[in-house]
Amino acid sequence: MKAVRIHSFGGPEVLQLDEVPVPQPQAGEVLVKVAAAAVNPVDWKIRQGYLAAVFKQPFPIALGCDYAGVIAAVGTDVTDVNVGDEVYGSISVQRGGSYAEYIVARHSEYAPKPRTVDFAQAASFGVAALTAWQAFDAAGLQAGQKVLIHAAAGGVGSMAVQLAKARGAYVIGTASARNQAFVKELGADEVIDYAAVKFEDVVRDVDVVCDLMGGETQACSYGVLKPGGFLVSSAQPPDAAQLQAHNLRGQMIGMQPNRAQFEQLAALIDAGQVKPIVETILPLSEVAQAHELNQTGRTRGKIILQIGS
């Protein structure tokens, strides 16, 4: 089968389309014939070597987490799916490998594909949607609360806006001028053009900040939270001193595949409460271009690699 791997760290040019053996599912695992895979920022950060100290993967390193496809074989003890079933999900970033014609997935890493979306759309949810989902679980976001979502037009941000509205929250998003209408369409109650207005000058007393940026954006976010509020970040750990000074709580989160959450997400998708945001679909052979686009940080929604049918 064909699979994208890197044999050294570097730019998009190190991405190679290799011929490798088809993996075989072990007990509790399934083999998935991949129809589509999504590109996430963590993928190019691994490619660049930024996460080498964290994951310590030996070369060659297979890339990709999010996928959608069809069950091709099942290991022993697997009774929840059959060959031919359509599934979607994310494999662990530590293992990687969804940029491939086949992958092996564990029980927590797949769920039945939402009926109302195609494979490319289904592949777009994984990391982005579950990062937002788990961020809101960590923060305890509830109906009637106010949440500020930074980078609301991006892959995670666009999911966070929709999932926060599905929980009944009042949503404020930050986005560029060109994405104001887009974020409003996702359901945001207010959208702030971060280039024209300092959000910290106009936002007050929010219950939760969903920080997808880190750096100066996070530093300016402590003051907009009400006492007892929660800053949850996928970018960097909240500053303990700032949390204490403002009487806040906070946590950094990293997405973990979760079967129950994939199932609940599929129900929201099929109910029309969460929609896929796919900006570009490219063939697997153009993976380098997909990485270049994703690395600009200016994409709206997700970039998808079309692999099979």
Side-chain angles (χ1 to χ4, degrees):
M1 71 171 192
K2 293 182 173 64
V4 174
R5 305 191 299 178
I6 60 171
H7 297 257
S8 63
F9 296 128
E13 71 280 355
V14 304
L15 295 163
Q16 292 186 200
L17 194 56
D18 293 341
E19 289 283 344
V20 300
V22 175
Q24 298 302 309
Q26 303 303 309
E29 299 178 337
V30 298
L31 179 69
V32 180
K33 185 178 189 297
V34 180
V39 176
N40 289 291
V42 69
D43 302 341
W44 61 258
K45 290 176 182 177
I46 291 172
R47 189 205 73 221
Q48 291 277 90
Y50 295 154
L51 304 178
V54 179
F55 296 129
K56 299 178 181 177
Q57 298 149 301
F59 291 114
I61 297 172
L63 295 179
C65 303
D66 296 341
Y67 70 92
V70 177
I71 299 292
V74 299
T76 57
D77 301 328
V78 174
T79 59
D80 58 331
V81 290
N82 298 300
V83 172
D85 287 352
E86 297 180 347
V87 293
Y88 85 128
S90 296
I91 56 176
S92 165
V93 68
Q94 285 86 354
R95 288 166 49 232
S98 69
Y99 297 1
E101 292 179 316
Y102 290 90
I103 58 167
V104 164
R106 298 168 180 168
H107 185 266
S108 63
E109 299 172 335
Y110 66 89
K113 182 181 77 66
R115 300 183 309 277
T116 55
V117 297
D118 61 26
F119 285 117
Q121 292 169 327
S124 72
F125 288 105
V127 167
L130 258 62
T131 296
W133 190 295
Q134 291 167 14
F136 295 147
D137 278 356
L141 182 66
Q142 298 176 9
Q145 290 189 321
K146 186 186 295 185
V147 58
L148 172 64
I149 299 168
H150 292 303
V156 177
S158 60
M159 290 294 110
V161 170
Q162 297 181 79
L163 289 171
K165 290 306 297 181
R167 291 187 182 216
Y170 183 92
V171 177
I172 306 168
T174 63
S176 65
R178 82 176 184 95
N179 284 321
Q180 298 289 295
F182 169 66
V183 176
K184 271 280 193 180
E185 289 169 5
L186 293 176
D189 298 284
E190 298 178 39
V191 187
I192 297 168
D193 178 357
Y194 60 77
V197 179
K198 291 184 177 180
F199 71 87
E200 64 269 27
D201 290 342
V202 295
V203 178
R204 289 287 182 274
D205 296 325
V206 299
D207 298 281
V208 176
V209 168
C210 182
D211 166 38
L212 308 175
M213 300 291 290
E216 187 66 19
T217 299
Q218 184 182 106
C220 294
S221 293
Y222 299 101
V224 308
L225 282 154
K226 63 173 59 173
F230 202 106
L231 190 150
V232 61
S233 177
S234 65
Q236 68 183 58
D239 184 284
Q242 289 279 13
L243 293 176
Q244 184 174 10
H246 290 87
N247 187 25
L248 304 172
R249 298 165 297 145
Q251 182 180 328
M252 182 177 178
I253 58 102
M255 192 282 289
Q256 297 297 320
N258 184 299
R259 172 67 175 264
Q261 290 171 358
F262 282 128
E263 291 174 341
Q264 293 172 65
L265 175 64
L268 290 176
I269 295 164
D270 286 337
Q273 291 185 268
V274 179
K275 65 180 181 180
I277 311 296
V278 174
E279 180 173 77
T280 304
I281 300 177
L282 295 168
L284 187 62
S285 59
E286 295 183 26
V287 63
Q289 182 185 347
H291 270 227
E292 289 170 359
L293 288 171
N294 188 263
Q295 205 163 345
T296 66
R298 298 189 183 94
T299 55
R300 179 186 287 180
K302 301 303 290 287
I303 296 167
I304 302 298
L305 296 170
Q306 192 79 48
I307 299 171
S309 57

